[in-house]
Amino acid sequence: MRSKVVLCIVAVLLAATNLVAQQTTGTLTGFVTSEGAALPGVTVTLSSPALQGVKTAVTNENGAFNFPALPPGSYTITYELAGLATVQRVVQVNLAQTSRADVAMSVAALAEAITVTAAAPTVIETSAVSHNMDAKTLDNLPVNRTITSAALLAPGVSSEGPNDQLIISGAPSYENLYLVNGAVVNDTIRGQPHSVYIEDAIAETTVLTGNISAEYGRFVGGVVNTITKSGGNQFSGSLRDSFTNDDWTKKTPFPGEADHLDEINEVYEGTLGGFVLRDRLWFFGAGRMAETSGSRNTRDTNIPFTTTQEEDRIEAKLTAQLAADHSIIGSYLDRERFQGNNSFGSITDLRSLDDRDLPESLISASYSGIFADNLLVEFLWSEREFAFVGSGANTTDLIEGTILRSFSGFRRAWSPTFCGICADKTRDNEYMQLKGTYFLSTSDYGTHNLIAGYEDFAELREENNEQGGSGWRLWGNFRHPNGGPDTFIHVDPDQSFLQVWPVLNRSLRSDTTVKSFFINDRWDLSDRWSFNIGARYDANDTVDQAGKKTSDDSSFSPRLSTTWDLGGDGRHRVILGYGEYVAEIDNGQNDSTSSAGSPAAFQWFYRGPEINGPDVPDDQLLTTDVVLAMVFDWFFNESCGGVAQNDYDAMLQNCQHPRSFRVPGVSSQLDGELRSPTAKEWSIGYGARVGSLGFVRVDYINREFEDFYTASTNLSTGKVSDALGNEFDIELIGNRDSGLERTYDAVMLQAGYRLLRRINVGGNYTWSELRGNADSESSNSATDAIAAIDHFPEYLDRSWNNPVRPMESDVEHRASIWVTYDLPTPIGNFNLSLLERYHSGYPYFAAGTIDLRGIENPGYIDPPTSGTYFFEGGREYRTDDVTRTDIAVNYGLPIGRFEIFLQGDVLNVFDEDAINDPDGLRTTVFTSRNSACRQADGSRCARFNPMTEKPVEGVHYVKHPNFGLADDDSAYQLPLTYRFSVGFRF
């Protein structure tokens, strides 16, 4: 139904003619003066290879002109008025930003003079804390030519999130907004950008990290906006072959790292753009084909295995000018991926691998049209489709499809996670934006760029979240005889348990729709004062996969800033800003209480005979299939009295030794309705031009995050019964702030300078501090509801269960500096570049899982039996400080319009081997729950009551002997690596 409505709107707009959006264009504005007075009647003409035809405007009575909806690129501006010397200026218009081109004209001499001047860098002209990276710069540097790589060169951006996901301005990694050609490319669950693009087709990327306009919403972190190339009045294209080899990367110092696979991987990319009708209809196409492989090894057992990926991407794009100032752009991208030997979590054997397909497509269309010279109307529509096909186990057999889990390091073995033969999982989105921009110039109150718009965005998820082939998991302690490749499980009746995750009701598809209105005024009051005054209204209309309403919440978020130009000449500016950012409803939490799609979680303690205990010799250990048969025979026949394997109601009623039960839609319920997480930001900045070819800008940003997703169970939340009379404690999912905090403070410095027209220097530095206890994401489960302050208060205390501390993604210092040097020679053109990076260490903590069974139950049906304990409070350990030097050599040999090019990158030139990732460290803390926890006399560690006792190291807990040391090669930064590419372009 939504698609039909969108198509009707598109048809109406096309009939009236129009297409594009600030999300895919930029704006150019300015004033023309003569002897200090405003100069009306000046003809201002724009020309650019990025533009179809030329654009012309005439300055008004205030000497002002404005060109909205310009494709990003380099523009030549010509200013003409009879009797005055014609002036030309070259200005760069960047994506999603406003560039200025103020000029002063003088009386013409006998021969008219043409003056070419340089404009101020956009980064100091805009009130937003922003960073722009064009394709040429990104191509010259020794980095991957991806959205993520471009974003990581911006201040306030780091990769400290789970699985190296991007953190922007202190927000959780799933709370950023990623756009490609105006379309949203965030993953529906983890929020990460999908690579639905070809690297050689990227035109430029703009990153917004603070003081962000009201035109952007549904985030509390930052915005990463990318646009791909378009055709032109000249045919252009490229063909590239990129070479990598796992064996061209040195090994890390980790002794168990697998030998690298000596096999060349090639990635082919091709682009072609041009015109069908000059200045009327342009086309652009691109393709990418890759077959890559890499070597990995399992955790603890260090078994080498090879991962493979076969991937094809295509892009088709049309740009049409329907009439003067009316244009339309359509873009289609498709991505097909096959992944071999895929894994999830920390695995110890090869049985945990699976093969899967990941098809994806993205279609977008946009229109822009200018009416009455000062009214711009824009429309944008997009749709993204993505699916998991065959991801997980290929059997539902009780023995073959059951996963083994280890208490130490949460390792996995025996069967792949998820179910690959149950049903495909789809994660799609749909987006529509309609907005208008009105340029108003007044004699007394300056000029206004007034923007008002409406957005309709929906994420659609149909995902029966089967957690494994059989749905069952057995928890115990893994044994690897003699440190070898075999995994056996020790089933301990003191701590082992069985866990099953049945999806009791099938998905009806969830829909997290956000309808938004926004208004923004870019107000230039004078040559010294300008303001950005805006606000958004975002209304959630969400249903979970059972079709149940989860949120009807709405939020108002102001965005305000003022810029003071100290001299009125654009050389020194001070910016002060306040903004509030509102996220969309997270899909993980939206479905957390759904009776459909989400798995229930039932757990029972194992109380049968000990199997594969520490006293059993290695050569007498029972294999996993035998162990599972024994455990399930005990469970179904002895503990449950002969219930059937899939009769969960009978299990809940009859099975002995319950550990915990959670039934979505029954025991987990919404506490009212979900609200959108928010962030409040204060910022102050200073920007300055350095000579005529450089700039510097520094900003201080403070953010306070609020409305965290929380889970709460206590004696007042109540109890509930299912249809068969099974009783459960109620878990309330909602938004709370009490006892939780997440605060981000940062100083962001960025600078650039062009020396001798051939040397470019750029870089940034960020000092930041991220503190709190509201950590709502993890490597395995993406987004999590945080335990509220009153969650089982008789068992859990905030001071030791979740103290205020440096957050896991807190890094105090991060810096990047790059230098590029153009060197033309008689035998071709060289570009040499150097990129130096530094960041201080990541935090990790001495935290372990403790036994809570000794605490007296005040009346819960299903009290917690374990909990996390921070044994040293908020004291953090840190990984190494990391430095890395990368270099690139680019060579181009022109042959007429063609150029043959070669590029070689050397990453981590000095092979620095710092430990970089705490997820790859051994941070295990043993407690009485672990048989490996032993006191000095050899006896098992003692239990303790955390509500009344303070644990003693060596008595109640013991750190792993390798605590803080690398657990596998992923703990280290990338070692010395070589890679090459070759191709031609025209």
Side-chain angles (χ1 to χ4, degrees):
M1 182 64 181
R2 185 193 305 272
S3 296
K4 292 180 179 178
V5 172
V6 169
L7 290 175
C8 289
I9 294 174
V10 172
V12 171
L13 285 174
L14 291 184
T17 55
N18 280 348
L19 197 163
V20 186
Q22 178 74 7
Q23 294 173 343
T24 59
T25 60
T27 297
L28 177 65
T29 189
F31 290 90
V32 181
T33 59
S34 179
E35 297 181 353
L39 191 60
V42 177
T43 299
V44 184
T45 304
L46 291 187
S47 62
S48 171
L51 194 64
Q52 291 177 322
V54 298
K55 287 185 178 293
T56 302
V58 177
T59 59
N60 61 21
E61 65 274 15
N62 301 312
F65 65 91
N66 187 68
F67 292 97
L70 295 177
S74 177
Y75 283 78
T76 298
I77 316 172
T78 304
Y79 306 82
E80 297 174 295
L81 182 64
L84 299 182
T86 297
V87 177
Q88 280 193 341
R89 168 169 285 186
V90 176
V91 173
Q92 184 71 30
V93 174
N94 291 329
L95 176 64
Q97 297 186 29
T98 298
S99 299
R100 295 192 63 88
D102 299 337
V103 299
M105 300 183 71
S106 57
V107 176
L110 292 178
E112 289 193 345
I114 296 179
T115 306
V116 179
T117 58
T122 306
V123 70
I124 67 170
E125 292 179 335
T126 179
S127 58
V129 184
S130 65
H131 178 83
N132 183 271
M133 184 65 66
D134 61 41
K136 182 179 180 181
T137 304
L138 197 65
D139 191 34
N140 285 338
L141 292 175
V143 297
N144 295 323
R145 295 166 293 117
T146 64
I147 292 175
T148 300
S149 295
L152 282 171
L153 294 176
V157 181
S158 62
S159 57
E160 281 85 54
N163 307 309
D164 298 326
Q165 295 165 189
L166 294 188
I167 298 287
I168 301 180
S169 295
S173 67
Y174 58 87
E175 293 290 19
N176 302 313
L177 177 64
Y178 296 94
L179 303 170
V180 172
N181 291 337
V184 179
V185 296
N186 293 60
D187 177 71
T188 305
I189 298 298
R190 293 185 178 270
Q192 299 309 293
H194 281 220
S195 300
V196 282
Y197 55 82
I198 292 94
E199 287 89 336
D200 264 353
I202 291 177
E204 65 178 85
T205 298
T206 294
V207 184
L208 306 175
T209 56
N211 220 0
I212 302 170
S213 163
E215 294 173 75
Y216 296 95
R218 305 183 310 278
F219 70 93
V220 295
V223 179
V224 182
N225 193 353
T226 298
I227 188 171
T228 62
K229 296 175 182 177
S230 299
N233 285 332
Q234 273 198 329
F235 288 96
S236 62
S238 64
L239 184 65
R240 179 193 295 262
D241 189 3
S242 299
F243 304 90
T244 59
N245 188 323
D246 209 24
D247 199 44
W248 296 347
T249 297
K250 287 192 64 176
K251 283 189 174 183
T252 69
F254 185 72
E257 182 175 354
D259 290 336
H260 292 191
L261 186 68
D262 187 8
E263 181 175 319
I264 293 178
N265 301 310
E266 295 182 74
V267 178
Y268 300 97
E269 296 173 68
T271 68
L272 179 63
F275 65 91
V276 178
L277 298 172
R278 189 180 296 272
D279 284 336
R280 284 291 186 179
L281 181 61
W282 293 349
F283 74 90
F284 180 81
R288 182 184 190 272
M289 182 173 62
E291 293 185 11
T292 58
S293 58
S295 60
R296 292 187 58 190
N297 57 292
T298 59
R299 291 287 184 98
D300 300 336
T301 52
N302 296 319
I303 306 171
F305 62 94
T306 300
T307 61
T308 62
Q309 178 162 283
E310 299 174 14
E311 182 178 16
D312 295 321
R313 305 180 199 174
I314 60 171
E315 177 183 3
K317 190 175 186 181
L318 288 175
T319 304
Q321 182 163 286
L322 306 177
D325 295 326
H326 294 272
S327 59
I328 183 169
I329 299 175
S331 172
Y332 175 76
L333 297 106
D334 184 81
R335 184 187 191 197
E336 300 290 334
R337 277 186 294 168
F338 169 80
Q339 294 180 335
N341 283 344
N342 171 69
S343 63
F344 182 86
S346 301
I347 65 171
T348 66
D349 65 357
L350 302 186
R351 287 179 57 102
S352 299
L353 301 173
D354 66 78
D355 299 335
R356 65 182 185 179
D357 291 293
L358 302 168
E360 184 169 13
S361 65
L362 176 68
I363 184 171
S364 63
S366 58
Y367 156 86
S368 72
I370 298 176
F371 300 85
D373 293 333
N374 56 0
L375 174 62
L376 169 69
V377 176
E378 299 174 272
F379 176 79
L380 171 68
W381 169 82
S382 70
E383 185 173 274
R384 183 181 69 86
E385 295 181 347
F386 173 73
F388 292 92
V389 179
S391 181
N394 60 8
T395 177
T396 59
D397 181 76
L398 182 63
I399 303 300
E400 299 298 321
T402 292
I403 301 170
L404 302 184
R405 296 298 309 273
S406 170
F407 293 118
S408 176
F410 302 106
R411 305 295 196 241
R412 298 166 185 256
W414 187 252
S415 182
T417 303
F418 309 121
C419 180
I421 60 172
C422 297
D424 296 344
K425 302 176 181 179
T426 61
R427 301 175 181 178
D428 307 332
N429 73 46
E430 297 176 359
Y431 178 48
M432 185 272 286
Q433 183 192 75
L434 178 65
K435 74 175 184 178
T437 303
Y438 185 74
F439 181 69
L440 174 66
S441 180
T442 67
S443 56
D444 296 326
Y445 300 104
T447 63
H448 300 260
N449 260 300
L450 297 163
I451 301 172
Y454 168 75
E455 292 179 324
D456 188 333
F457 176 73
E459 287 188 318
L460 309 169
R461 179 191 187 198
E462 187 170 354
E463 186 167 347
N464 294 298
N465 195 12
E466 310 279 0
Q467 290 294 295
S470 71
W472 287 86
R473 299 181 182 188
L474 173 62
W475 285 77
N477 292 300
F478 287 178
R479 290 185 59 179
H480 308 291
N482 300 316
D486 297 323
T487 296
F488 298 85
I489 187 167
H490 169 208
V491 186
D492 185 346
D494 286 336
Q495 61 175 330
S496 288
F497 63 91
L498 278 163
Q499 181 181 48
V500 64
W501 300 78
V503 176
L504 302 176
N505 296 299
R506 310 306 288 177
S507 171
L508 300 178
R509 195 168 80 159
S510 66
D511 183 343
T512 55
T513 292
V514 186
K515 299 180 188 295
S516 307
F517 295 90
F518 60 86
I519 186 168
N520 199 84
D521 181 15
R522 167 66 189 262
W523 176 20
D524 291 316
L525 177 62
S526 67
D527 60 355
R528 292 179 181 267
W529 290 98
S530 62
F531 305 88
N532 194 83
I533 303 171
R536 285 184 69 90
Y537 174 79
D538 296 286
N540 296 315
D541 181 12
T542 67
V543 296
D544 63 20
Q545 294 190 83
K548 182 183 68 177
K549 175 77 73 173
T550 57
S551 178
D552 196 18
D553 171 52
S554 62
S555 301
F556 175 81
S557 50
R559 312 280 178 87
L560 309 169
S561 68
T562 180
T563 301
W564 176 35
D565 190 323
L566 276 65
D569 55 4
R571 300 200 66 84
H572 300 274
R573 289 184 170 97
V574 176
I575 307 103
L576 179 65
Y578 173 78
E580 296 182 12
Y581 308 113
V582 178
E584 64 178 313
I585 298 296
D586 173 69
N587 272 276
Q589 300 310 309
N590 179 56
D591 281 323
S592 61
T593 63
S594 171
S595 60
S598 298
F602 305 144
Q603 301 177 9
W604 292 270
F605 287 108
Y606 173 77
R607 292 292 183 259
E610 186 173 29
I611 306 173
N612 289 341
D615 297 329
V616 176
D618 291 346
D619 61 355
Q620 297 180 27
L621 292 172
L622 299 178
T623 58
T624 296
D625 56 338
V626 175
V627 172
L628 287 174
M630 294 172 62
V631 169
F632 282 124
D633 178 69
W634 171 87
F635 178 74
F636 288 115
N637 295 315
E638 294 187 34
S639 179
C640 303
V643 302
Q645 175 184 336
N646 296 320
D647 192 347
Y648 303 112
D649 291 324
M651 292 181 203
L652 294 175
Q653 291 182 328
N654 299 324
C655 295
Q656 303 176 50
H657 317 297
R659 185 176 189 267
S660 69
F661 301 140
R662 174 187 173 275
V663 181
V666 178
S667 59
S668 295
Q669 300 180 9
L670 287 179
D671 187 7
E673 64 178 30
L674 294 175
R675 300 194 308 273
S676 293
T678 60
K680 296 180 178 178
E681 174 191 276
W682 287 97
S683 64
I684 185 170
Y686 166 75
R689 295 185 64 169
V690 179
S692 61
L693 299 173
F695 74 93
V696 63
R697 176 164 175 168
V698 60
D699 294 271
Y700 166 74
I701 290 178
N702 167 265
R703 282 193 183 176
E704 298 281 346
F705 298 88
E706 299 176 350
D707 295 312
F708 305 108
Y709 296 116
T710 60
S712 179
T713 299
N714 54 61
L715 295 177
S716 66
T717 57
K719 298 174 174 53
V720 66
S721 299
D722 64 14
L724 296 176
N726 301 305
E727 197 171 20
F728 305 92
D729 296 304
I730 293 177
E731 177 189 57
L732 292 179
I733 304 295
N735 300 81
R736 307 268 292 277
D737 290 329
S738 178
L740 296 172
E741 63 179 82
R742 187 183 184 106
T743 304
Y744 177 75
D745 289 281
V747 176
M748 302 177 188
L749 171 68
Q750 52 184 319
Y753 199 84
R754 186 170 183 86
L755 297 169
L756 306 175
R757 299 188 179 276
R758 292 184 181 176
I759 302 175
N760 272 314
V761 181
N764 59 72
Y765 162 78
T766 302
W767 169 89
S768 64
E769 184 177 79
L770 179 63
R771 291 189 59 84
N773 57 1
D775 197 2
S776 56
E777 56 184 337
S778 60
S779 298
N780 290 339
S781 58
T783 60
D784 302 308
I786 308 164
I789 196 170
D790 59 351
H791 184 63
F792 291 111
E794 301 85 359
Y795 290 83
L796 303 172
D797 185 274
R798 184 77 67 196
S799 64
W800 53 261
N801 176 249
N802 192 16
V804 173
R805 60 194 183 276
M807 304 295 289
E808 280 75 2
S809 49
D810 173 60
V811 172
E812 188 173 6
H813 305 284
R814 176 174 287 274
S816 299
I817 185 169
W818 54 89
V819 180
T820 64
Y821 175 49
D822 291 316
L823 179 64
T825 72
I827 59 172
N829 300 317
F830 290 86
N831 177 275
L832 312 176
S833 68
L834 178 146
L835 174 61
E836 184 72 23
R837 307 184 203 233
Y838 164 80
H839 69 76
S840 53
Y842 305 160
Y844 60 97
F845 305 88
T849 304
I850 62 171
D851 197 329
L852 300 177
R853 286 176 291 174
I855 298 176
E856 182 179 354
N857 183 359
Y860 294 105
I861 295 169
D862 181 22
T865 59
S866 62
T868 299
Y869 197 105
F870 284 76
F871 288 99
E872 298 170 355
R875 174 196 171 185
E876 82 267 18
Y877 296 84
R878 293 274 177 172
T879 60
D880 298 334
D881 292 351
V882 174
T883 57
R884 182 174 128 183
T885 304
D886 302 335
I887 60 174
V889 178
N890 292 271
Y891 169 73
L893 177 63
I895 305 175
R897 281 199 62 217
F898 286 79
E899 181 186 53
I900 297 173
F901 68 87
L902 302 169
Q903 178 171 346
D905 294 344
V906 184
L907 311 180
N908 196 357
V909 173
F910 303 109
D911 196 27
E912 297 173 86
D913 60 7
I915 289 180
N916 182 56
D917 188 351
D919 288 340
L921 298 182
R922 175 65 76 172
T923 59
T924 305
V925 176
F926 295 124
T927 68
S928 63
R929 289 169 45 86
N930 309 103
S931 58
C933 188
R934 299 288 171 173
Q935 301 185 53
D937 61 2
S939 62
R940 192 160 177 165
C941 290
R943 293 183 183 178
F944 68 100
N945 185 332
M947 306 301 286
T948 59
E949 297 178 79
K950 185 175 181 179
V952 176
E953 186 170 7
V955 177
H956 300 108
Y957 71 96
V958 175
K959 296 175 187 173
H960 192 283
N962 294 329
F963 183 86
L965 300 180
D967 203 26
D968 69 14
D969 56 283
S970 69
Y972 294 89
Q973 74 162 319
L974 180 74
L976 173 66
T977 298
Y978 302 93
R979 63 187 185 193
F980 306 93
S981 63
V982 60
F984 71 89
R985 51 194 166 219
F986 63 94

